[in-house]
Amino acid sequence: MLEHTMSANTSEVERRLWAAADNLRANSKLRSHEYSTPVLGLIFLAYADHRFQQAQEELGPDADPIDFQAEGVMYLPEQARYRRLLALPDGANLGQAINEAMNAIEAENEDLKGVLPKIYNRLDNSVLTPLLKAFNFEEIAAGLQGDAFGKVYEYFLGEFAKREGQLGGEFYTPTSLVKLMVEIMEPFHGRIYDPACGSGGMFVQSARFVTEHQKNPTDELSVFGQEKTAETVRLARMNLAVHGLSGDIKQGNTFYEDIHGSRGKFDFALANPPFNVKGVKKDDIAADPRLPHGIPSTDNGNYLWLQYISSSLNARGRAGVVMANSASDARGSEQLIRQRMIQSGNVDIMLATSSNLFYTVTLPATLWFLDNGKRGTAREDKVLFIDARNTYRQVTKAVRELTDEQVEFLANIANLYRGEKPEFRHGSQEKIEELFPGGVYRDVPGLCKVATRAEIEAQGWSLNPGRYVGVQARAADDFDFSVRLSELNEELETLNAEAHELEERIGANVQALLEVGVSA
């Protein structure tokens, strides 16, 4: 009941703060994609001040900057205190004062050098004053606990992603999807890598996972990220700081730069790379040791990303990747790379998601989970396929999400497959016990299936869960049109893939016959 009340309070605060932020968009000269920066900067500043004040009450007025850092709290000089900004007289240049506060924080915190926004001088006091008051965390903190403020920051990232369309998709992966990946990955301890880290959501959820298991993420996790655009790197560093985390986030194009020297280095890798990237310069990556299974001849970056992530893992490393559905059935050179990955023994779990989980695309995606640690075990010859296309909660007509109970349920299927105990924090116990009696994994038609490499080879090395899982049994009077339509669409995708394969074979045969005719 307390958790529900806190959730309701957080949601109310989020909506109230969003209304205040929307006022900035309406009354400033900033373009729609620009106003996210000053808003997120103020949330950062307000939350940093809130945490600093809490720590100061515990540490005392004579505490040094190093004492705050030991507590995982940023040290704030007097110039950067939020209450000082609120107390400035009406005629003061508020925009300049906020810029100076940001500079003062950067001077005291090396990780944030050049990261914080300093464009507030472009905004009038009439816009900034109500925004500053709205984000005064000392007034809105009642009833909120734990990481509620970090969740407010994530809420704003999500809302900006919705409104910025495709641009938003470049920096934000929906929280429920990241939660699912982290719960299946289980990053308890070690070095985590994301070569397309966006705003750092994968790292934040990994830290939350560690916290849920009663440990300190600052002690347990080391974070390494790479991102192409400077603005998104700044978003990621702010996001980590808001959650009391630090990490090595660097700017670079992963196709051509391996800034962290990633090969064989990491315990975990998580990524939601951009789908179907075109225009990668093949000559520039021809000798890249991160591509052990080859370079696809097609103009598509999906199997480059999969190899970058796979090759970053150490001998027992695990990875989770969000990937376009088409990659699971891609033919030609991509099929050969996929075959080599499967034969290498580290492809562990394939999970098909529902459509409309992303704000920027309606199509469903597939989650790939790799595990080098399963080599030499009974699981080396097996892959778990999970069909979660019908697992979701409808948020709006256009947006779906996974509930915490659904995330836990799907992660527990993976736990049972690995021979691990299921975890019951969010209400999935009844469904797990119903479908998996005695807490033992079994194939469930329409939901999950363990296939051997021989079975996968017989399917043309396809990793499309729909090819293996089948259709859930349903009574005649329990017909669900949307579910049935989804099933038929999956069947159509499979038939299209098979038709494409036949088309390629026929083309190759015709070409061979023509060559024979010419030589004769």
Side-chain angles (χ1 to χ4, degrees):
M1 182 64 185
L2 177 60
E3 183 178 340
H4 175 75
T5 303
M6 285 173 55
S7 176
N9 287 344
T10 306
S11 298
E12 176 56 35
V13 168
E14 288 167 349
R15 285 192 291 270
R16 185 149 50 91
L17 294 181
W18 180 257
D22 223 25
N23 185 56
L24 170 64
R25 179 176 61 85
N27 295 298
S28 73
K29 296 175 183 177
L30 297 176
R31 289 174 290 180
S32 60
H33 69 277
E34 290 180 312
Y35 85 111
S36 59
T37 302
V39 169
L40 290 170
L42 280 182
I43 295 175
F44 167 85
L45 185 59
Y47 181 45
D49 184 79
H50 178 74
R51 293 194 75 215
F52 177 83
Q53 186 164 315
Q54 285 182 320
Q56 192 173 50
E57 289 171 2
E58 292 182 15
L59 295 170
D62 299 326
D64 293 324
I66 196 168
D67 297 323
F68 289 91
Q69 291 166 6
E71 296 294 318
V73 175
M74 280 182 298
Y75 178 78
L76 297 187
E78 182 61 27
Q79 192 176 13
R81 296 301 305 274
Y82 205 81
R83 56 175 169 71
R84 175 181 170 274
L85 296 172
L86 285 169
L88 288 173
D90 291 342
N93 187 333
L94 198 50
Q96 182 180 333
I98 297 173
N99 283 352
E100 290 171 354
M102 297 296 186
N103 282 320
I105 292 174
E106 289 186 357
E108 293 285 348
N109 297 275
E110 186 67 30
D111 284 353
L112 294 173
K113 279 262 193 296
V115 169
L116 303 180
K118 305 170 197 74
I119 61 170
Y120 296 96
N121 56 317
R122 294 168 57 186
L123 302 171
D124 296 335
N125 279 14
S126 61
V127 173
L128 284 174
T129 300
L131 205 56
L132 266 178
K133 289 178 179 177
F135 291 145
N136 182 9
F137 275 37
E138 296 312 307
E139 291 187 3
I140 65 176
L144 300 183
Q145 297 178 23
D147 193 29
F149 303 111
K151 289 176 182 175
V152 168
Y153 189 89
E154 290 169 35
Y155 173 81
F156 271 71
L157 282 173
E159 290 298 310
F160 286 128
K162 289 178 189 175
R163 283 154 179 77
E164 294 186 24
Q166 198 60 43
L167 286 172
E170 291 179 6
F171 66 74
Y172 186 76
T173 306
T175 301
S176 68
L177 201 61
V178 183
K179 279 184 183 177
L180 175 60
M181 295 175 70
V182 168
E183 288 294 329
I184 290 177
M185 292 270 299
E186 300 177 327
F188 284 106
H189 175 87
R191 299 156 70 92
I192 301 182
Y193 176 57
D194 185 345
C197 70
S199 56
M202 300 286 184
F203 302 134
V204 169
Q205 287 301 330
S206 297
R208 195 166 286 153
F209 174 86
V210 171
T211 301
E212 273 198 2
H213 290 82
Q214 313 305 316
K215 291 190 177 181
N216 185 341
T218 305
D219 297 335
E220 301 296 327
L221 300 177
S222 300
V223 165
F224 300 83
Q226 187 165 323
E227 177 56 48
K228 186 171 71 171
T229 63
E231 182 59 36
T232 308
V233 169
R234 287 193 284 271
L235 274 180
R237 288 182 180 169
M238 275 201 294
N239 196 11
L240 291 179
V242 162
H243 289 84
L245 304 170
S246 62
D248 190 358
I249 312 295
K250 292 181 176 171
Q251 183 184 358
N253 188 327
T254 302
F255 288 121
Y256 311 114
E257 302 170 272
D258 184 17
I259 293 174
H260 292 294
S262 64
R263 286 180 65 215
K265 184 174 181 178
F266 296 102
D267 301 288
F268 302 97
L270 294 104
N272 174 22
F275 298 169
N276 305 316
V277 173
K278 298 187 182 302
V280 178
K281 299 172 185 175
K282 298 288 179 65
D283 290 345
D284 291 355
I285 62 172
D288 194 330
R290 296 176 298 163
L291 302 171
H293 302 306
I295 298 172
S297 58
T298 54
D299 188 16
N300 190 310
N302 291 343
Y303 275 87
L304 300 176
W305 284 114
L306 285 166
Q307 290 187 81
Y308 295 149
I309 292 157
S310 178
S311 67
S312 74
L313 300 177
N314 61 27
R316 300 197 61 79
R318 286 182 176 178
V321 191
V322 186
M323 186 49 63
N325 269 3
S326 57
S328 305
D329 273 319
R331 315 304 299 180
S333 60
E334 292 175 307
Q335 178 186 2
L336 181 59
I337 294 172
R338 186 172 64 250
Q339 175 184 337
R340 289 169 177 167
M341 290 181 69
I342 296 166
Q343 289 174 326
S344 79
N346 78 339
V347 178
D348 193 30
I349 301 170
M350 299 293 297
L351 189 150
T353 70
S354 166
S355 58
N356 294 90
L357 287 177
F358 294 90
Y359 298 143
T360 53
V361 292
T362 58
L363 295 175
T366 301
L367 304 184
W368 294 52
F369 294 94
L370 313 176
D371 186 354
N372 284 349
K374 77 169 191 168
R375 290 176 176 144
T377 73
R379 284 184 11 248
E380 180 175 359
D381 190 49
K382 299 172 182 176
V383 175
L384 170 64
F385 293 93
I386 301 176
D387 188 346
R389 287 171 301 153
N390 301 320
T391 303
Y392 59 84
R393 180 177 77 88
Q394 199 75 39
V395 181
T396 68
K397 189 176 181 181
V399 176
R400 296 170 174 173
E401 70 176 12
L402 296 166
T403 66
D404 286 347
E405 180 180 344
Q406 290 166 339
V407 166
E408 181 179 86
F409 170 71
L410 294 170
N412 274 333
I413 297 175
N415 287 339
L416 294 178
Y417 156 70
R418 292 173 179 148
E420 300 170 358
K421 288 183 178 180
E423 295 190 356
F424 301 118
R425 287 187 176 87
H426 301 292
S428 70
Q429 184 168 359
E430 184 178 345
K431 193 170 183 181
I432 286 291
E433 290 176 349
E434 175 192 345
L435 293 173
F436 304 96
V440 177
Y441 174 84
R442 63 170 184 159
D443 293 340
V444 178
L447 176 62
C448 57
K449 158 81 175 175
V450 172
T452 64
R453 281 184 286 198
E455 291 174 294
I456 295 170
E457 181 180 7
Q459 290 287 347
W461 301 102
S462 168
L463 288 176
N464 182 342
R467 288 204 180 199
Y468 303 92
V469 170
V471 178
Q472 185 175 6
R474 182 186 293 112
D477 62 347
D478 187 22
F479 180 77
D480 185 323
F481 174 76
S482 62
V483 172
R484 181 58 182 148
L485 183 62
S486 177
E487 291 166 354
L488 289 170
N489 183 62
E490 181 66 35
E491 290 174 20
L492 179 62
E493 286 183 9
T494 301
L495 290 170
N496 283 338
E498 292 172 351
H500 183 59
E501 181 182 2
L502 286 171
E503 184 182 330
E504 287 184 342
R505 287 181 184 173
I506 291 168
N509 290 337
V510 169
Q511 184 63 34
L513 288 170
L514 288 173
E515 289 172 357
V516 169
V518 170
S519 62

